Amino acid sequence: ANFDRTIMDVQAAGTEASQHREANFLVDVPRQMWALTKKNFILAYRNRTATFLRVFSSFFFILLIFLVNEALKGRFAADPYYKDYPNPPRTVLDGIPDCTRQASNDNQCYIFGYTPAPDLSGGGYHPDKDYASVSDFVSGTSAVCQAADCEEMYRVHQVVRKIMQQNTINQQAHVIAASSVVGFRNQSTLDDFLFNNPTKINGAYVFSSPNTQAVNFVLQLNSTSFSTRGVWNRPYLDLGLPMQAMAHKAIGSFLNVADNIEIGRQLFAHPAFAVSTFEGTVAPLFLLGCAMFPFVIQMSEVVME
């Protein structure tokens, strides 16, 4: 009986202690949280530099991402693709631009090539002279050809010389030197040269003139793009259209059907397209990380204490 009574007394004491602990828990936890918060505030105040860096470091990274994203947008600001063009202006096409070293790894690059030409060596012919007649052309170039082929070659030579003489840059006369133009006997020779020298010629004409009233051409364009200060060129707009325009002007002048042809281009009307950047894509995730990690670290310190 004494043993049973002792067990009952112990159980009663345990129940009272448990109730007392539950009552103290509601009081101790807020008090301890307040004490830890006050202590951490005092420590943070004493070490103000570290506290400032911990709190505002995330904002510095966010500001950096924002500035980088704005810089990328500014780089594309001049691109018509990212502008609002409800009524784009018409631009008169300029002449054929000079050959640039960015598009060529060789010491010599040609503004354009063409065929057919009185090329006997296979290394290319440079049209450096005008001829008054077919016979003068044949004798002056030592061309070896049939009569019809020589006449066609002579007509093509006249058109090429007009392209060179009528060329303009910024609407100012800019004659193309003969050393910057190269001609080949036929298209297969031209193709072989282009294959072996892929960066040496900006573009080439493949002319045909079946009679004195017709001159046709096919344009072969070097579409290799290159970047200048982060801006990529557009081979068709920068080179293809000017070559077409100058060829049409020269042919019109040669056939005496038009002395002054003005050819222009106009962008298709479109709204401004949004600039998509890698920084703009990952910025929301980085912002979430910047806001989450300092809070997690601070809570881990409170739990450890």
Side-chain angles (χ1 to χ4, degrees), residues 119-124 184 189 193:
D119 176 31
L120 301 178
S121 63
F184 298 92
T189 308
F193 184 86

Side-chain angles (χ1 to χ4, degrees), residues 95-107:
I96 305 173
D98 289 334
C99 179
T100 57
R101 287 299 305 275
Q102 290 93 335
S104 175
N105 298 322
D106 303 301
N107 294 328

Side-chain angles (χ1 to χ4, degrees), residues 39-49 51:
K39 186 207 69 164
N40 288 332
F41 178 80
I42 294 174
L43 293 176
Y45 179 77
R46 290 177 179 177
N47 195 8
R48 291 183 289 273
T49 303
T51 303

Side-chain angles (χ1 to χ4, degrees), residues 20-81:
H20 180 70
R21 283 195 303 269
E22 291 179 358
N24 291 339
F25 177 81
L26 299 177
V27 177
D28 292 342
V29 170
R31 183 170 59 187
Q32 291 175 3
M33 291 293 294
W34 168 250
L36 289 174
T37 302
K38 185 176 181 181
K39 186 207 69 164
N40 288 332
F41 178 80
I42 294 174
L43 293 176
Y45 179 77
R46 290 177 179 177
N47 195 8
R48 291 183 289 273
T49 303
T51 303
F52 177 81
L53 294 176
R54 174 181 291 184
V55 173
F56 289 98
S57 60
S58 301
F59 294 98
F60 291 141
F61 283 110
I62 295 172
L63 178 62
L64 179 62
I65 292 179
F66 174 77
L67 294 178
V68 171
N69 191 57
E70 290 299 315
L72 292 176
K73 289 182 178 180
R75 194 185 74 175
F76 294 106
D79 195 319
Y81 184 79

Side-chain angles (χ1 to χ4, degrees), residues 183-288:
F184 298 92
R185 186 171 184 82
N186 49 49
Q187 187 174 355
S188 61
T189 308
L190 172 63
D191 292 340
D192 292 339
F193 184 86
L194 294 176
F195 181 79
N196 296 322
N197 304 273
T199 61
K200 207 165 185 175
I201 300 181
N202 284 343
Y205 297 103
V206 179
F207 288 103
S208 63
S209 179
N211 53 64
T212 58
Q213 298 300 318
V215 178
N216 308 316
F217 70 92
V218 175
L219 182 63
Q220 288 184 301
L221 183 64
N222 186 351
S223 59
T224 302
S225 297
F226 58 90
S227 176
T228 303
R229 296 183 179 181
V231 178
W232 289 91
N233 72 321
R234 298 177 177 180
Y236 178 71
L237 295 179
D238 299 339
L239 181 62
L241 287 182
M243 289 187 66
Q244 290 182 6
M246 293 307 302
H248 285 301
K249 291 181 180 180
I251 293 173
S253 177
F254 169 72
L255 298 177
N256 295 320
V257 295
D259 293 332
N260 186 14
I261 302 176
E262 184 180 87
I263 303 176
R265 68 181 179 91
Q266 187 176 19
L267 293 175
F268 191 80
H270 64 79
F273 296 95
V275 180
S276 178
T277 62
F278 175 77
E279 288 75 10
T281 303
V282 302
L285 297 177
F286 191 83
L287 176 61
L288 176 62

Side-chain angles (χ1 to χ4, degrees), residues 124-176:
Y125 167 76
H126 304 288
D128 56 352
K129 186 178 179 181
D130 291 317
Y131 298 95
S133 63
V134 179
S135 58
D136 292 341
F137 172 74
V138 173
S139 61
T141 61
S142 301
V144 179
C145 53
Q146 299 294 329
D149 295 337
C150 288
E151 292 177 358
E152 179 184 26
M153 197 177 298
Y154 174 61
R155 290 192 292 269
V156 170
H157 178 83
Q158 290 179 291
V159 172
V160 170
R161 289 289 297 173
K162 288 183 179 296
I163 293 176
M164 296 166 58
Q165 295 167 359
Q166 297 177 1
N167 190 57
T168 59
I169 296 293
N170 296 325
Q171 305 305 319
Q172 301 294 328
H174 185 78
V175 178
I176 300 176

